[in-house]
Amino acid sequence: MSIKHCDKHDCERRRLYRQFCAALVAIILLILLIILIVWLVLRPTRPRFYLNDLTVACLNATSNPASYLTVTLQATIAARNPNTRVGIYFDRTDAYAEYKGQQVTVPTALPVVYQGHLDVSVWSPFLVGSNVPLAPYLAVALAQDETAGYVLLTVRVDGWIRWKAGAFITGHYHLRVRCPALLTVNGGQGSYGSIAGGGGNGYFNFQRAAPCVVDV
């Protein structure tokens, strides 16, 4: 068997190619290491959310024969960036309301915003659902809650954020926020039948501002 030897030019090209590949891999690893070190040093903290208010314009359930729910709410949501060296881009975020795990309003897009260090943003989106099909057991539960005088809704924020440290900007991270909203019905005395917030028997009143559960 004869052993093939590369000529001088082929050997030189292969040597340069191997050196180029090794240098490229080293540069990529160095960049990744720098990113990791910066990330560990800065250690960005997830944003903090608060539900400051929830105004009920309409919360009306009908059952003839199927159950439907019509809802009109206005939520006041505050978000704070607790980081002193990292900014946050809120790129695509939606807010909507739930009752016992069922979404009862359509998603409302929140404005795109950049939060600098320790900045606070406040949104007041309208959350609306018209003739939303309601599971029979949820219709019964809602009627019972109204009669008892307390209804617990959940305002959710779902979207994507990015972190910014100096000139470095991360990829997108999934933001999930859950804000409990306790409403009193007729001052906690309860009511029965069709409900329309704002006054009279059966009106809803937001109990108190509360921090939200945030997951990134």
Side-chain angles (χ1 to χ4, degrees), residues 99-133:
Y99 175 70
K100 294 188 182 300
Q102 178 175 334
Q103 183 175 335
V104 295
T105 69
V106 297
T108 299
L110 301 180
V112 175
V113 68
Y114 170 74
Q115 278 190 343
H117 310 156
L118 304 177
D119 276 357
V120 176
S121 301
V122 179
W123 301 287
S124 297
F126 283 94
L127 310 178
V128 179
S130 180
N131 291 325
V132 179

Side-chain angles (χ1 to χ4, degrees), residues 29 42 52 55 68 104 106 111 121 127 132 157 169 182 205:
L29 291 177
L42 297 177
N52 291 337
T55 302
Y68 296 93
V104 295
V106 297
S121 301
L127 310 178
V132 179
V157 177
I169 301 176
L182 181 62
N205 196 15

Side-chain angles (χ1 to χ4, degrees), residues 2-189:
S2 62
I3 300 176
K4 295 182 179 180
H5 297 278
C6 60
D7 59 37
K8 180 178 180 181
H9 296 291
D10 288 339
C11 290
E12 184 66 19
R13 280 197 298 269
R14 293 178 184 177
R15 185 179 64 83
L16 291 176
Y17 178 74
R18 287 194 297 268
Q19 290 178 347
F20 172 77
C21 291
L24 182 61
V25 171
I27 292 174
I28 293 175
L29 291 177
L30 180 61
I31 293 174
L32 293 175
L33 180 61
I34 293 174
I35 293 173
L36 178 61
I37 292 174
V38 171
W39 187 260
L40 292 176
V41 170
L42 297 177
R43 284 181 295 182
T45 302
R46 67 190 69 179
R48 295 171 183 167
F49 277 75
Y50 303 88
L51 181 62
N52 291 337
D53 192 25
L54 186 67
T55 302
V56 181
C58 176
L59 182 59
N60 185 35
T62 58
S63 300
N64 190 23
S67 299
Y68 296 93
L69 184 65
T70 297
V71 187
T72 302
L73 312 169
Q74 185 177 19
T76 301
I77 305 168
R80 180 177 181 271
N81 176 11
N83 298 284
T84 58
R85 293 175 291 183
V86 179
I88 304 175
Y89 285 100
F90 291 86
D91 289 330
R92 299 187 302 275
T93 48
D94 296 320
Y96 58 91
E98 284 185 350
Y99 175 70
K100 294 188 182 300
Q102 178 175 334
Q103 183 175 335
V104 295
T105 69
V106 297
T108 299
L110 301 180
V112 175
V113 68
Y114 170 74
Q115 278 190 343
H117 310 156
L118 304 177
D119 276 357
V120 176
S121 301
V122 179
W123 301 287
S124 297
F126 283 94
L127 310 178
V128 179
S130 180
N131 291 325
V132 179
L134 202 62
Y137 76 93
L138 288 180
V140 173
L142 180 58
Q144 292 174 344
D145 289 347
E146 292 173 1
T147 303
Y150 296 92
V151 174
L152 180 62
L153 299 179
T154 302
V155 175
R156 286 188 174 269
V157 177
D158 189 277
W160 298 90
I161 63 174
R162 291 176 295 162
W163 310 97
K164 181 179 185 297
F168 171 68
I169 301 176
T170 69
H172 286 97
Y173 287 80
H174 196 176
L175 172 71
R176 301 179 185 87
V177 182
R178 186 175 73 255
C179 305
L182 181 62
L183 305 173
T184 59
V185 184
N186 196 21
Q189 298 178 17

